[in-house]
Amino acid sequence: MASTLHRVAACALVSIALLAQVLAQVLAQENLAIVRGTVRDSSKHPLSSVTIQLKTGDQTLSAESDSQGRYRFSVLPATYTLRAELSGQGDATFGPFALNAKEEKTIDLTLAAQKPEFYDQPTFVVAGVTDGANRGGHGSDVILRSSEALTKATTSLGDPDQARVNPLDAVREYQHAAEQNPSERNFFDWGAELLAHRANGPAIEVFTKGNRLFPRSTRMLLGLAVAYYANGSYDQAAQRFFEASDLNPTDPGPYLFLAKVQSTTITESAGYLERMARFAKLEPNNAWANFYYAASLWKNKGDAQQAEVLLEKALHLDPKMAAAHLQFGIIYSAHKSFPQAIAAFEQAIAIDPRMEEGHYRLAQAYARTGENQKAQKEFEIHHQLAEESAKQVERERREVQQFVIKLRNPAANTRQ
């Protein structure tokens, strides 16, 4: 009987303790204070995805502003410090301040972007523009063309209105925008405009700083890689291209950029082959992923067997891929299987009649088999296409105005 009473008493005590705990929680909820507000930039525009921290003692609560820049905390009465921060936009701190029970406090914050030291004294000044007669490129014409293609691809990642404004005004506007608001977009557009007008050194400087501020920006790394490539710094270009493809391995963009490279310093490196292999593995149903891996396997290892398997897969996915037929012809020619090579080259130029390399290699294959008249005809077609292409390239190069770059006077305190 006594033990039963003890158990009943113990249960009653536990119930009372639980009830007291519940009542304390209810009272605490009723006494909660609310902190809310809106986070804006220096132009009074709401900022989303801002990290906001509310600190008291050793405790830190975190939240993120919504699409309208709003945030909200429900907390117990105490003394707090509020801090908001967004990469590229700066930070803001409010407090310490006390919150009483049931108090609702509205605290709006404005993030003022801090100007990096870089802006105070850029090492270069864009002093003017000149015509595009001077190519200003590095390496062979093949590398120069690939550099120009990569530059176009880079600028396409930025501001779509770049080509609609005066280039000199544009680059100065982009620089000013980056100084006032060092966002990822402003930095990239500034670097891309410099790159588009062959100011490779300044572009490297801007993209390097942009990469430090925004290390998770794939296009910033690609811009830096292309700037190094255009400048003839192939080892550094390779490093940046590889970093861009490693940043988000499932993103096909960096691999497609890397595939446009023609420098053997890059294409014959183990890092290049490794990333083309990864691209094919990540995108097994992408015809170009299979093609690029096949081409790099053949070029780097002479692995005809695996390359042919990948080329067959690429053509299964895209029967109209002229480049895959061309690559088959290249492999057959290397093995002196000229009838097969001729058939492959003929298929390639049937799909793409303006494929210069296809006509040239077909002419060589015809010459090897003694079909000299056919060879001569293909050589003539190649010569005509090459001349037309060269004229078109030269017209495009002359249309690109080049920036006149001067080193900034270290003693100057004014900005042009």
Side-chain angles (χ1 to χ4, degrees):
M1 182 68 177
S3 61
T4 301
L5 289 173
H6 285 140
R7 284 197 298 272
V8 171
C11 289
L13 289 172
V14 171
S15 298
I16 291 170
L18 289 173
L19 180 59
Q21 186 177 358
V22 171
L23 287 172
Q25 290 176 346
V26 170
L27 289 173
Q29 290 291 330
E30 290 181 351
N31 289 324
L32 286 179
I34 295 174
V35 182
R36 59 161 62 95
T38 303
V39 187
R40 298 181 174 88
D41 62 18
S42 56
S43 299
K44 303 303 180 185
H45 298 133
L47 291 172
S48 62
S49 303
V50 178
T51 300
I52 303 158
Q53 294 182 328
L54 190 63
K55 298 182 179 181
T56 178
D58 296 331
Q59 184 181 12
T60 300
L61 301 175
S62 294
E64 196 171 85
S65 61
D66 63 17
S67 59
Q68 301 300 314
R70 298 170 300 197
Y71 71 91
R72 186 180 187 278
F73 291 98
S74 296
V75 293
L76 292 170
T79 298
Y80 293 93
T81 299
L82 186 68
R83 177 180 172 81
E85 182 177 11
L86 181 63
S87 177
Q89 292 288 349
D91 56 63
T93 302
F94 183 88
F97 60 94
L99 281 175
N100 300 316
K102 301 182 181 181
E103 181 181 1
E104 293 190 15
K105 195 174 190 68
T106 299
I107 303 174
D108 294 332
L109 298 170
T110 299
L111 301 191
Q114 298 177 348
K115 292 185 182 181
E117 182 181 336
F118 170 74
Y119 296 126
D120 296 332
Q121 286 294 329
T123 63
F124 64 90
V125 174
V126 180
V129 293
T130 185
D131 62 51
N134 177 20
R135 294 183 184 183
H138 294 264
S140 67
D141 190 62
V142 172
I143 291 180
L144 182 57
R145 289 196 189 192
S146 68
S147 173
E148 291 168 346
L150 284 164
T151 295
K152 288 181 181 179
T154 302
T155 56
S156 72
L157 300 175
D159 186 345
D161 295 328
Q162 280 184 350
R164 302 178 190 175
V165 293
N166 178 281
L168 189 57
D169 290 341
V171 74
R172 288 173 175 167
E173 288 175 8
Y174 288 130
Q175 179 178 350
H176 179 71
E179 289 175 358
Q180 298 303 311
N181 176 15
S183 65
E184 191 272 350
R185 174 180 176 178
N186 288 339
F187 249 104
F188 181 84
D189 288 340
W190 182 13
E193 186 70 11
L194 289 165
L195 182 63
H197 295 275
R198 301 174 187 159
N200 301 327
I204 289 171
E205 186 174 343
V206 171
F207 282 128
T208 297
K209 175 60 72 169
N211 175 236
R212 288 174 185 166
L213 290 174
F214 305 98
R216 300 298 301 173
S217 172
T218 300
R219 67 176 183 171
M220 200 74 75
L221 270 171
L222 288 174
L224 182 55
V226 174
Y228 273 129
Y229 186 77
N231 207 47
S233 304
Y234 303 125
D235 288 332
Q236 290 170 298
Q239 180 183 349
R240 301 309 179 191
F241 276 125
F242 297 161
E243 287 176 6
S245 61
D246 295 346
L247 191 61
N248 182 8
T250 60
D251 180 2
Y255 302 105
L256 296 175
F257 266 73
L258 194 53
K260 290 182 171 68
V261 167
Q262 292 294 327
S263 166
T264 55
T265 302
I266 301 175
T267 59
E268 294 182 4
S269 69
Y272 182 89
L273 182 61
E274 175 190 340
R275 283 155 184 86
M276 291 299 106
R278 183 204 294 161
F279 187 25
K281 183 177 181 180
L282 292 170
E283 298 274 347
N285 295 320
N286 184 320
W288 284 106
N290 285 278
F291 167 76
Y292 290 134
Y293 184 30
S296 60
L297 269 174
W298 171 251
K299 188 171 185 178
N300 285 275
K301 292 190 172 183
D303 188 343
Q305 183 175 2
Q306 190 176 357
E308 288 179 18
V309 171
L310 290 163
L311 290 172
E312 289 286 4
K313 187 175 182 179
L315 285 171
H316 175 75
L317 293 166
D318 182 3
K320 296 296 184 180
M321 181 180 281
H325 289 294
L326 177 70
Q327 187 63 48
F328 260 125
I330 291 171
I331 294 173
Y332 293 146
S333 292
H335 292 141
K336 302 188 183 306
S337 300
F338 294 114
Q340 290 175 289
I342 288 170
F345 292 140
E346 287 177 337
Q347 283 182 293
I349 62 175
I351 295 169
D352 183 2
R354 298 192 63 81
M355 178 185 277
E356 295 174 33
E357 186 178 358
H359 287 285
Y360 184 77
R361 288 187 178 274
L362 179 57
Q364 288 183 316
Y366 278 142
R368 292 292 184 89
T369 57
E371 298 184 76
N372 295 327
Q373 287 187 337
K374 289 184 177 180
Q376 183 62 32
K377 181 181 178 181
E378 292 301 324
F379 278 129
E380 289 174 358
I381 294 173
H382 169 262
H383 180 72
Q384 180 182 350
L385 290 173
E387 277 194 340
E388 292 174 2
S389 176
K391 289 178 182 178
Q392 177 62 28
V393 168
E394 195 60 31
R395 281 194 296 270
E396 292 178 357
R397 286 172 180 166
R398 288 185 178 276
E399 289 172 0
V400 176
Q401 291 181 296
Q402 293 180 243
F403 288 142
V404 177
I405 301 297
K406 293 184 179 179
L407 293 179
R408 178 176 291 278
N409 183 351
N413 293 318
T414 59
R415 189 183 307 278
Q416 279 200 352

